[in-house]
Amino acid sequence: MSLVELIARADARGLAGSGLACLDRCVPLLDGDDEILRPLWATLADDAMPGPGWARELERARGALAGPDASGEDEAVLLARRMLAAAPAECSGAGIRTWADACSVASLRIHRLLDPAGDAAGDDLRRQDGAESPSPLVAAELRRQLTVLNALTGHGPAGLRRALEISTEGRRVLRAVVSRRARGRA
């Protein structure tokens, strides 16, 4: 099943987890601590999900990850900031589906921009089955997104642990890419 189909079929917990996982993997661009989004993940484990904890923890994360004036930031950082800013206060309804889909696209774009082996100019990423062969960093991000959605689909709170593991792995990879990129600019 394609990423687009998985997002279309996901429930509120799956959508919130998918969007949060994309954002979590991009935290290195926002100079965030690895644990900054952990309280948001915890709200998804609650049986009463969606609950009021999501909005409260989302505001805390926004405050902690608030960055400088966006005028001097590159496109990858701006995309990550937009993911965080666009997260809906309610973890349900059409808003969460729109956010999860936008996070998927933004995260793939970020990985394309940062991939030294890729072509950042091309923006025709295929999230459905297609003949295009993405660059290594983008291909890995696409696999992570698929794995997260599959872990969350039908597994409820139990799938969150796997989704978080995948997100942590992706964050480490992106942190290394961001670090290499910064050294290359120095």
Side-chain angles (χ1 to χ4, degrees):
M1 198 174 307
S2 75
L3 185 56
V4 172
E5 291 168 327
L6 284 170
I7 290 172
R9 293 180 180 196
D11 63 5
R13 186 185 322 266
L15 293 167
S18 174
L20 183 56
C22 289
L23 177 60
D24 198 0
R25 288 189 295 277
C26 294
V27 161
L29 291 167
L30 304 176
D31 294 325
D33 177 90
D34 285 352
E35 299 296 314
I36 195 73
L37 298 179
R38 184 67 73 145
L40 269 170
W41 282 103
T43 66
L44 298 180
D46 187 1
D47 287 337
M49 195 285 196
W54 172 267
R56 180 182 63 249
E57 296 304 333
L58 179 60
E59 283 310 308
R60 282 188 192 158
R62 283 180 176 147
L65 294 172
D69 178 18
S71 61
E73 295 179 327
D74 69 9
E75 184 179 356
V77 175
L78 290 173
L79 287 167
R81 291 210 184 284
R82 286 184 197 138
M83 271 194 273
L84 180 59
E90 279 210 32
C91 199
S92 62
I96 198 72
R97 186 170 310 281
T98 300
W99 180 65
D101 190 55
C103 285
S104 170
V105 171
S107 186
L108 288 166
R109 176 71 181 148
I110 286 167
H111 283 77
R112 178 169 273 192
L113 288 167
L114 297 177
D115 194 333
D119 174 18
D123 199 21
D124 57 346
L125 293 173
R126 295 181 190 231
R127 295 185 311 146
Q128 299 186 36
D129 295 331
E132 181 185 341
S133 183
S135 64
L137 195 64
V138 174
E141 173 59 13
L142 185 56
R143 279 191 306 275
R144 283 186 196 97
Q145 287 188 29
L146 288 165
T147 303
V148 164
L149 276 163
N150 281 318
L152 294 171
T153 301
H155 297 104
L160 287 171
R161 180 180 308 260
R162 179 72 178 132
L164 185 56
E165 289 169 359
I166 294 297
S167 191
T168 300
E169 170 199 340
R171 186 178 345 102
R172 286 183 189 132
V173 169
L174 197 64
R175 190 170 302 283
V177 169
V178 168
S179 178
R180 256 182 273 139
R181 187 176 184 219
R183 283 192 308 267
R185 288 182 175 177

